[in-house]
């Protein structure tokens, strides 16, 4: 494990160094996360924080099937034994209550990894317990339903208002916030009227940059779209972009939109290939073989575009959200204001202007080492 965030102690009358103490040594620490999925960006962040604090207890509402809770040392709440875990939408309103039922546990420091209500957990008196919260986003179902539509039904308007008030009231004890992007930092200020620092999520840049030689020297003949096949990701637009550009498209991932996207792709003149749940090595191979990654979606941060850039693959995306931080327009990709295929097809013709070496170098700004260093510094300062 990297030695980030450890304090160096020196004898007063000597240059001899004593062993370094671990981060938050001598203090009881709890790491808290929402539900824990088998794969996901927020889960990767949680585990990266856990690497910095191996002594901490790890608390989650529940873990999805297939997660090795024993190996990961995850303690689940009583919610894991209820039918609610089969529907995150139904479980969401109950989450603040469930977190509060854990209040019999007491810790010196609590660090929550939250994209719903984990930051509302209270594991000690605020006078004695420092609560730091890393925010992936204020609950999008509650605060930003227009982003992906899952919380935008008119019947949910009143429940959303109730949950918004509860979200604010039940999180007053949080001492310090970190946001995963400037986009999320703005939401924390707008919705909760709280300040935060920005610490971008870790990306395994060395893994994606170090593909086997046969993968690195592919001909880059196709466009690539990666992610969960849900409406706000705009995979239907990616299909139209490929058609307009006259280039093959590979769509990698999975999700409820699969059948509709396959039907849409069947009527196009260009080849469109679907890769369902590709393994990590295959995903890296796809990045290295793509002429560009298509990412016309408004994301909080977006790890996929950074992985692509680590492979020297430029990004064509929407000039919103996390892409404003992860893509240098005109250098590591092109950002557009349109949701029409034409401007993207035009940008594809400009791809030869971009230097793959510059693209790969830029991805290093989001490495796991960079995250660990910044996170350890924030925890050390905010937990005092």
């Amino acid at each position: 494990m990297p030695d980030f965030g450890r304090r160096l102690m020196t004898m007063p009358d000597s240059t001899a160094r004593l062993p370094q103490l671990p981060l938050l040594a001598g203090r009881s620490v709890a790491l808290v996360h929402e539900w824990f999925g088998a794969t996901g960006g927020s889960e990767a962040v949680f585990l990266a924080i856990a690497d910095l604090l191996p002594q901490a207890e790890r608390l989650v509402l529940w873990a999805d099937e297939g997660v090795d809770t024993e190996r990961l040392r995850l303690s689940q709440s009583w919610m894991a034994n209820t039918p609610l875990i089969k529907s995150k939408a139904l479980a969401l309103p109950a989450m603040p209550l469930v977190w509060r039922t854990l209040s019999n546990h007491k810790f010196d420091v609590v660090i929550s990894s939250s994209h719903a209500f984990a930051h509302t957990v209270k594991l000690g008196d605020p006078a004695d317990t420092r609560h730091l919260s890393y925010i992936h986003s204020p609950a999008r179902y509650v605060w930003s339903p227009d982003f992906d539509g899952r919380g935008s039904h008119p019947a949910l308007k009143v429940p959303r208002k109730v949950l918004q008030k509860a979200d604010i009231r039940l999180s007053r004890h949080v001492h310090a916030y970190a946001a995963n992007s400037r986009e999320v930092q703005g939401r924390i200020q707008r919705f909760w009227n709280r300040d935060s620092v920005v610490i971008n999520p870790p990306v395994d840049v060395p893994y994606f940059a170090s593909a086997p030689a046969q993968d690195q020297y592919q001909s880059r003949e196709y466009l690539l779209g990666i992610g969960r096949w849900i409406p706000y990701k705009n995979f239907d637009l990616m299909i139209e972009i490929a058609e307009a550009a006259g280039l093959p498209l590979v769509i990698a991932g999975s999700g409820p939109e699969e059948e509709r996207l396959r039907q849409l792709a069947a009527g196009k003149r260009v080849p469109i290939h679907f890769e369902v749940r590709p393994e990590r090595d295959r995903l890296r191979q796809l990045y290295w073989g793509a002429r560009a990654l298509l990412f016309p979606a408004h994301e909080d941060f977006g790890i996929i575009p950074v992985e692509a850039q680590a492979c020297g693959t430029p990004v064509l995306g929407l000039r919103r959200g996390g892409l404003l931080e992860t893509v240098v327009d005109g250098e590591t990709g092109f950002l557009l204001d349109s949701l029409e295929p034409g401007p993207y097809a035009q940008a594809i013709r400009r791809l030869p202007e971009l230097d793959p070496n510059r693209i790969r170098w830029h991805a290093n700004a989001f490495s796991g080492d960079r995250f660990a260093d910044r996170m350890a510094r924030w925890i050390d300062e905010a937990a005092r």
Side-chain angles (χ1 to χ4, degrees):
M1 184 185 74
D3 239 4
F4 296 110
R6 303 188 174 203
R7 294 197 186 98
L8 180 66
M9 300 183 65
T10 309
M11 294 294 289
D13 300 319
S14 170
T15 57
R17 293 180 176 179
L18 294 175
Q20 295 173 323
L21 294 176
L23 188 62
L24 302 183
R27 302 171 75 179
S28 59
V29 183
L31 300 183
V32 179
H33 188 64
E34 319 282 1
W35 60 86
F36 197 97
T39 58
S42 64
E43 287 84 356
V45 171
F46 175 76
L47 294 177
I49 298 173
D51 282 344
L52 296 172
L53 297 157
Q55 78 275 27
E57 292 195 35
R58 306 175 184 183
L59 310 177
V60 299
L61 289 175
W62 76 83
D64 286 349
E65 186 177 354
V67 174
D68 190 341
T69 55
E70 185 173 348
R71 180 180 65 83
L72 297 175
R73 294 175 37 224
L74 301 178
S75 297
Q76 302 180 73
S77 76
W78 56 264
M79 196 179 208
N81 299 316
T82 73
L84 288 173
I85 66 172
K86 297 179 181 179
S87 172
K88 295 180 177 68
L90 292 177
L92 192 73
M95 289 179 188
L97 173 63
V98 178
W99 284 126
R100 286 307 173 98
T101 62
L102 305 178
S103 59
N104 58 316
H105 300 271
K106 308 294 181 185
F107 295 89
D108 297 326
V109 180
V110 175
I111 302 172
S112 55
S113 163
S114 181
H115 54 79
F117 294 109
H119 63 294
T120 67
V121 71
K122 199 171 184 180
L123 301 176
D125 189 304
D128 304 317
T129 301
R130 294 292 292 182
H131 186 157
L132 321 181
S133 190
Y134 185 92
I135 304 297
H136 305 277
S137 175
R140 285 167 62 148
Y141 299 89
V142 175
W143 293 101
S144 310
D146 52 311
F147 271 62
D148 57 33
R150 289 178 287 181
S152 60
H153 193 282
L156 298 177
K157 184 175 182 180
V158 172
R160 277 203 312 273
K161 291 293 184 182
V162 173
L163 286 172
Q164 286 173 1
K165 291 179 180 179
D167 196 20
I168 294 171
R169 178 172 55 84
L170 296 176
S171 59
R172 289 173 181 159
H173 62 286
V174 177
H175 292 93
Y177 282 108
N180 78 345
S181 64
R182 291 195 300 269
E183 167 81 8
V184 170
Q185 182 184 48
R187 292 183 212 162
I188 292 172
Q189 180 60 237
R190 187 164 66 254
F191 300 147
W192 299 340
N193 195 28
R194 297 291 299 270
D195 294 330
S196 61
V197 301
V198 175
I199 303 176
N200 296 134
V203 180
D204 193 354
V205 172
Y207 171 81
F208 287 97
S210 61
Q214 64 267 27
D215 291 344
Q216 295 192 26
Y217 292 101
Q218 298 179 73
S219 57
R220 295 190 179 268
E221 295 179 347
Y222 58 84
L223 302 174
L224 177 64
I226 295 177
R228 182 150 172 79
W229 299 338
I230 53 180
Y232 89 91
K233 299 284 190 178
N234 291 327
F235 280 94
D236 49 354
L237 174 57
M238 298 182 204
I239 292 172
E240 298 300 333
I241 292 169
E243 177 85 341
L247 289 172
L249 173 67
V250 175
I251 295 177
S254 64
E257 290 271 283
E258 180 175 354
E259 183 177 351
R260 188 182 72 85
L261 292 173
R262 287 186 182 275
Q263 291 175 352
L264 181 62
K268 300 304 177 185
R269 294 169 297 174
V270 296
I272 298 175
H273 175 66
F274 288 78
E275 292 258 352
V276 181
R277 299 183 186 89
E279 296 292 332
R280 200 167 185 234
D281 286 354
R282 175 57 177 160
L283 192 60
R284 181 174 62 180
Q285 187 179 54
L286 289 173
Y287 279 132
W288 275 96
R291 187 172 301 186
L293 174 77
L294 301 181
F295 205 81
H298 187 166
E299 285 286 12
D300 307 324
F301 174 73
I303 288 176
I304 289 170
V306 180
E307 292 176 348
Q309 290 172 91
C311 302
T313 302
V315 178
L316 301 181
L318 202 59
R319 197 192 310 273
R320 297 179 194 167
L323 288 186
L324 294 172
E325 295 171 64
T326 60
V327 177
V328 182
D329 190 23
E331 295 185 29
T332 70
F334 295 108
L335 300 180
L336 301 102
D337 298 308
S338 176
L339 286 173
E340 297 295 329
Y344 290 88
Q346 294 174 14
I348 288 169
R349 292 194 284 271
R350 296 183 56 195
L351 291 175
E353 301 173 15
L354 306 181
D355 179 2
N357 292 322
R358 167 72 175 98
I359 296 171
R360 284 193 291 270
W361 178 85
H362 175 66
N364 289 315
F366 306 97
S367 69
D369 286 352
R370 181 73 63 90
F371 170 83
D373 185 39
R374 296 186 66 193
M375 178 60 69
R377 291 174 185 273
W378 176 66
I379 291 173
D380 185 52
E381 294 173 2
R384 293 175 184 173

